Amino acid sequence: LTSDFGPVHINILRINLKQSSCRMKCIDARKTCTDLPSLAKQSGAVAAISGGFFLYSEPDIELPSERTDPVGLLVSDGNTAAPPVFGRATILQNTGEKDGSGGISLDKVGMCGVTCNFALQSASDTSAARNIELTIGLDDVRCIHRGSSDEAVVEENYCGFSIVGSTVVTRSSASSSTKMPVPLAGFVLVFPQTLFP
């Protein structure tokens, strides 16, 4: 293939998942080895792809974000390390539990329908945790990310959680309309105060 910028090289690995014991595994390598050939060898991989977008040269990276943090969906060993904030293309593997297919697909995955679970604790009573479950797109629960705005408006009688990865960075409960900065590789979850226990 060629483009205006020169040739494009594509490597293709075709595996029949119904006749092979191969499986796709996503590894969050931020805190380990980031050299792809070394990581592939350590993992015993047949092939390896350096996938996803991540923070690299952005000048406004602020804690808790760090350089190399993913800005797309990252699920490693069943744990969501980064939610699909920006609705980018994602490589998915069907576990085959329902239909036995175990197929791999490429799809655009975003935040609509994502359920966020929080265990809330009082600073004075850490033994009494309350759980809150919010589903984006239901009950006026909204997700604002950098692709849509640098600031999230938290209206009167609404709450806002600024979230990076799985960490709530700041929260706001507005008796009048207020604005929250949207984290670079995160989002602000805005929801009615009536959903906050």
Side-chain angles (χ1 to χ4, degrees), residues 96-179:
E97 292 172 5
K98 291 181 182 175
D99 63 6
S101 69
I104 294 175
S105 62
L106 187 64
D107 202 356
K108 189 174 181 181
V109 178
M111 293 293 284
C112 190
V114 169
T115 299
C116 302
N117 297 296
F118 303 95
L120 306 173
Q121 289 183 302
S122 165
S124 59
D125 183 9
T126 57
S127 65
R130 296 177 296 164
N131 293 320
I132 180 173
E133 188 174 277
L134 303 168
T135 301
I136 297 168
L138 295 178
D139 301 318
D140 205 20
V141 176
R142 301 184 309 271
C143 168
I144 294 88
H145 56 76
R146 281 284 183 100
S148 57
S149 180
D150 289 346
E151 292 181 322
V153 176
V154 181
E155 301 93 345
E156 183 177 345
N157 299 318
Y158 277 72
C159 296
F161 285 179
S162 177
I163 300 171
V164 175
S166 60
T167 303
V168 176
V169 181
T170 57
R171 71 179 199 143
S172 170
S173 218
S175 56
S176 63
S177 186
T178 187
K179 292 182 179 180

Side-chain angles (χ1 to χ4, degrees), residues 39-78:
L39 189 60
K41 187 175 182 179
Q42 290 171 10
S43 302
V46 174
I49 301 168
S50 175
F53 294 96
F54 52 89
L55 296 180
Y56 179 69
S57 60
E58 292 77 7
D60 54 346
I61 298 173
E62 296 177 3
L63 291 174
S65 294
E66 297 179 39
R67 197 165 310 287
T68 72
D69 277 357
V71 294
L73 176 62
L74 175 59
V75 178
S76 183
D77 291 329

